[in-house]
Amino acid sequence: MTEYLDLVLAFIADNPSLAGLICFLAAMGEALFIIGLFVPTTVVLVGAGTLIGLGKLDPVPVFVWTTLGATAGDAISYWIGYAFKDKIKSMWPLNKYAHMMESGEKFFARHGGKSIFFGRFVPGVKSVVPGIAGMAGMNFTRFSIVNVTSAFAWTIAHLAPGVLAGSALSAIGEISGRLALVLGALLVVVFLFVMLGRWLILTILPLFPNAHAAIVTWFANRQDKTSQWIARTFDPAHPRSTGMLVSALLLLVTMPTFFWLVGEVAPGEPMVRADLAILNLFDSLRTPVGDKIMVFATTLGDGIVLTAITVAVAAYLFFRRAWRRGIGFVIAMAGTAMFVPLFKLMLHRARPLELYAGADAYSFPSGHATLNAVLFGICAVLIAHDLNRWAKAGIFTVAASYVITIGFSRIYLGAHWMSDVLAGLLFGTAMVSAFAFVFGPIHNEKIGRATMAVLVVATLAGFGGWHLSRTYDRALLTYEPRSNTEVLTVSGWLDGDWRAVPARRIELNGDREEPLVIQYSGPLNSFAETAREAGWQRPPKWSLTTASGFVEGQTPSDSLPILPRSQNGRQPEMVLIRKDANEAEGGRWVLRLWPSRFEIVKDGHLHALYVGSVVHEDILRPMGEFSGPRTDLETPPSAQNPALLLPGAVTRVRGDGTEVVLALGREAGALPKNGSDPVTGPQDP
């Protein structure tokens, strides 16, 4: 996995002018009138800042290009407003964002010229304020001075977090590249969640400004009691109807998705294979420091900590005489606490590793993910109640980030399958949505939001710290990596144990792909040296030069880098290619060897067993301008499997007719002389 990140970083680092241009376009795009809502500037600039922190980009050109882009975008918006004046309000798509125009006008009227500086940092108005300044006829010289100054400060504010994150990841990478990748993946998940929520709030919802009223009107025109209740409940005139509508929609989406997921974890389903592949992926990325961080997170999500916070919150709600919300909170937490073990007993899905006894010995759904989602989700609902949407977004972002981190830790540590955590988050979100729908409209129960937030954080810090001091060292031992390696003898492997090795490659999504036609135990260099005599060679590494070959129509097949493929969550340890003998065909054969969970014991020594595929790629050249590989054959001809070049290789035939070659490297010892005769094995189970 780290090699893919290195490829991306190397590509950008080899082309810093392209990185500067991208930052220029992103910064300019966000400053354009309304269009800025659709431009993912934060993603691009935080990413660029991260690359600076990692030492992959020069900070000066990126800073200059970003500042120029932000300045140009505001200048264009100013010109649009100056040229079209009030006509702009009736133009599509600007007429869909009338509320933003009104907010921008009020902001400009309140702050005057300073709004150009401060407005750039205010979500919801930053893409309209420069245009409004133009509409108001603000002096261009004065506008330009403020524009350049604010662009300078805005660039620092957007690049700095990425630079800090990149510097931290770079320092962590000096300890372990795998740890940096794990923490980077966690940051990406949280960051994408936050950006998705922001995009939905700012960009998508304004496109349907009248949808709420239209839906309510449709129900109001119906005479049945249910429709009339829906019309009254979700009336746009009701100040809390929008929140109730969002809660209802979330409930209608998350609960069916949860039960759909239940069906997808039945034995033999692709989701089960995907779970195993992702488990193997995280197992390959584990490090001692990463284990300590994730054990810290998962211990804070233990039941005893949740119980302490639940008791504190319930007691506070009853103390404030918020009887209905207090009772609803207790019912939600108690109901979830009973639902999780009961559902585990019903489904009886085994965990990746043995941790607990009783109902907790089973894995679906994750109790940590479910209970933490319900607890902190409801706390976020109570604390954010009646605040403005940006305050709500901030509170829910913090709560969601914390819950996602705990769920991530369960997958990383192998305590749960990925689908267990997804199911827990789905059910937890559904419970929070139901609570918000029922108790959100209540306005006569004052709970003291700031006090409650302090109570939750203080209980988590105090009781969680106490729990960590008592159990952290024991938890490190509980969650320490456990080898699932299976050892085979040479004779047992030849006699039939080869059938236990996967027959097809499994993708991260659980799909079964091409047959695995090689089982090899021994040094990889030995395999490569033998294959070289038959024309097999290492493929070119990814770089700007080799990647550009995909956009050239005459690139030879052996000059194109190899597209990545994983087997059950693992990356290939060795890749070889061989051009077609006939130049007119212009294709290539690609061999990949992945590590398996098996080892071969020979003369008292253990040797890793690799599984491999050999596929043929046809190089497509549409219109003679591009070169794109497409797999057209998934198995080589019987006599062309490169593993047969190894001394003493033997062939076995699976029940579906595919052949697999078994071979030992020189250091692992050769197979018996008579092993080269093809042997047909019985059908695979």
Side-chain angles (χ1 to χ4, degrees):
M1 176 64 81
T2 54
E3 62 195 73
Y4 301 152
L5 181 60
D6 290 341
L7 295 177
V8 176
L9 297 177
F11 180 86
I12 297 177
D14 289 342
N15 196 19
S17 60
L18 179 60
L21 178 61
I22 292 173
C23 291
F24 173 86
L25 294 174
M28 183 179 69
E30 179 163 302
L32 292 178
F33 219 9
I34 298 298
I35 296 174
L37 295 174
F38 300 88
V39 180
T41 303
T42 304
V43 177
V44 174
L45 296 186
V46 171
T50 303
L51 292 172
I52 292 173
L54 290 169
K56 301 296 183 179
L57 288 178
D58 186 350
V60 175
V62 172
F63 179 84
V64 171
W65 277 107
T66 304
T67 304
L68 290 175
T71 303
D74 267 16
I76 293 172
S77 295
Y78 172 90
W79 177 84
I80 293 173
Y82 185 84
F84 292 97
K85 302 296 182 181
D86 287 338
K87 295 178 183 179
I88 206 167
K89 296 181 181 179
S90 59
M91 298 171 59
W92 187 93
L94 303 181
N95 57 359
K96 298 291 186 181
Y97 298 88
H99 67 289
M100 287 191 179
M101 294 292 292
E102 293 175 4
S103 299
E105 288 177 329
K106 292 178 181 178
F107 191 85
F108 184 79
R110 185 183 310 119
H111 300 287
K114 296 191 296 294
S115 62
I116 305 301
F117 188 97
F118 297 116
R120 199 187 285 273
F121 299 89
V122 179
V125 299
K126 60 183 176 182
S127 61
V128 298
V129 167
I132 291 171
M135 292 166 60
M138 182 179 179
N139 180 274
F140 182 73
T141 302
R142 182 186 176 198
F143 169 83
S144 299
I145 294 173
V146 180
N147 181 20
V148 173
T149 306
S150 64
F152 187 90
W154 180 85
T155 300
I156 294 176
H158 277 68
L159 291 178
V163 173
L164 293 176
S167 300
L169 289 175
S170 180
I172 294 172
E174 295 296 324
I175 303 172
S176 170
R178 291 179 295 168
L179 173 60
L181 184 62
V182 169
L183 296 181
L186 175 58
L187 290 175
V188 167
V189 170
V190 173
F191 184 69
L192 290 179
F193 174 86
V194 173
M195 293 306 300
L196 177 62
R198 177 182 179 273
W199 179 70
L200 289 173
I201 292 172
L202 286 179
T203 306
I204 299 301
L205 292 181
L207 293 176
F208 307 96
N210 300 317
H212 187 174
I215 294 172
V216 170
T217 301
W218 184 86
F219 280 105
N221 292 332
R222 299 174 64 87
Q223 299 304 314
D224 58 281
K225 293 182 178 180
T226 302
S227 297
Q228 291 298 311
W229 176 85
I230 292 175
R232 290 193 305 272
T233 302
F234 297 109
D235 187 349
H238 192 299
R240 297 174 181 83
S241 63
T242 302
M244 294 177 65
L245 182 60
V246 171
S247 299
L249 290 175
L250 272 175
L251 184 60
L252 291 174
V253 170
T254 51
M255 282 306 292
T257 307
F258 170 81
F259 285 106
W260 169 82
L261 196 58
V262 172
E264 292 299 305
V265 297
E269 292 291 335
M271 180 64 75
V272 177
R273 297 192 293 270
D275 281 338
L276 180 58
I278 291 171
L279 179 72
N280 289 333
L281 173 63
F282 277 100
D283 185 63
S284 67
L285 296 175
R286 291 188 65 167
T287 62
V289 177
D291 289 354
K292 291 179 180 179
I293 295 172
M294 293 302 166
V295 167
F296 180 90
T298 208
T299 304
L300 284 179
D302 283 350
I304 189 170
V305 179
L306 298 185
T307 301
I309 299 173
T310 300
V311 170
V313 171
Y316 176 74
L317 291 174
F318 291 135
F319 174 77
R320 292 299 301 260
R321 299 182 184 276
W323 304 114
R324 286 176 289 178
R325 287 175 175 167
I327 293 172
F329 173 73
V330 171
I331 291 175
M333 290 303 300
T336 305
M338 290 188 292
F339 170 82
V340 171
L342 287 175
F343 208 88
K344 286 182 176 183
L345 287 172
M346 288 173 55
L347 212 60
H348 269 71
R349 190 187 193 196
R351 287 179 181 268
L353 52 86
E354 294 183 8
L355 289 175
Y356 312 112
D360 287 336
Y362 303 110
S363 70
F364 191 97
S366 165
H368 274 68
T370 309
L371 288 164
N372 278 277
V374 174
L375 173 60
F376 290 100
I378 292 178
C379 288
V381 168
L382 294 173
I383 295 170
H385 185 66
D386 280 346
L387 294 178
N388 64 67
R389 59 176 179 169
W390 293 110
K392 288 180 178 179
I395 292 169
F396 281 108
T397 295
V398 172
S401 301
Y402 180 76
V403 172
I404 290 172
T405 300
I406 290 177
F408 187 91
S409 72
R410 303 302 285 172
I411 302 172
Y412 172 91
L413 294 171
H416 277 289
W417 308 104
M418 180 192 66
S419 56
D420 301 339
V421 172
L422 289 178
L425 295 177
L426 285 168
F427 185 84
T429 303
M431 289 295 291
V432 174
S433 301
F435 180 91
F437 180 82
V438 175
F439 299 100
I442 298 174
H443 60 85
N444 59 350
E445 291 183 346
K446 305 301 181 183
I447 60 172
R449 293 186 292 263
T451 304
M452 184 172 174
V454 171
L455 176 66
V456 172
V457 173
T459 307
L460 175 62
F463 204 87
W466 171 79
H467 180 59
L468 280 167
S469 66
R470 293 177 59 252
T471 63
Y472 183 71
D473 291 337
R474 186 167 68 250
L476 283 174
L477 295 176
T478 300
Y479 294 110
E480 66 181 357
R482 303 180 188 182
S483 174
N484 64 345
T485 302
E486 186 172 340
V487 178
L488 306 175
T489 63
V490 173
S491 59
W493 177 45
L494 293 173
D495 290 342
D497 288 344
W498 58 271
R499 298 188 189 91
V501 181
R504 285 184 172 269
R505 183 175 69 86
I506 299 176
E507 270 285 10
L508 280 176
N509 62 2
D511 289 346
R512 295 183 185 274
E513 301 293 345
E514 71 271 15
L516 297 173
V517 296
I518 297 174
Q519 295 182 20
Y520 170 74
S521 180
L524 294 176
N525 287 337
S526 175
F527 192 116
E529 290 171 6
T530 302
R532 187 180 298 115
E533 300 173 1
W536 292 87
Q537 62 183 10
R538 304 274 184 178
K541 294 184 178 181
W542 279 86
S543 67
L544 179 61
T545 302
T546 58
S548 65
F550 289 108
V551 296
E552 296 178 5
Q554 303 302 319
T555 307
S557 60
D558 58 348
S559 297
L560 291 172
I562 298 299
L563 300 179
R565 289 188 179 184
S566 65
Q567 148 58 12
N568 215 8
R570 299 182 174 94
Q571 302 307 313
E573 293 287 341
M574 185 177 73
V575 180
L576 300 175
I577 62 172
R578 189 186 69 184
K579 287 181 61 176
D580 287 338
N582 186 350
E583 287 289 340
E585 295 177 2
R588 63 184 180 184
W589 288 93
V590 181
L591 178 150
R592 297 178 176 88
L593 285 179
W594 295 274
S596 73
R597 67 181 181 88
F598 297 92
E599 291 183 335
I600 302 295
V601 60
K602 173 72 175 179
D603 298 331
H605 298 284
L606 290 175
H607 303 274
L609 180 64
Y610 300 92
V611 294
S613 71
V614 182
V615 300
H616 184 268
E617 292 182 345
D618 182 27
I619 308 301
L620 303 179
R621 307 183 193 278
M623 299 179 291
E625 296 296 333
F626 303 95
S627 298
R630 183 197 65 178
T631 300
D632 56 350
L633 290 176
E634 293 189 333
T635 55
S638 299
Q640 297 300 316
N641 191 320
L644 288 172
L645 300 171
L646 298 169
V650 302
T651 302
R652 298 288 188 261
V653 181
R654 298 190 176 102
D656 61 1
T658 59
E659 297 180 350
V660 55
V661 176
L662 281 56
L664 288 171
R666 284 192 291 270
E667 292 181 19
L671 297 180
K673 266 190 176 181
N674 59 2
S676 57
D677 296 331
V679 178
T680 301
Q683 186 170 351
D684 285 329

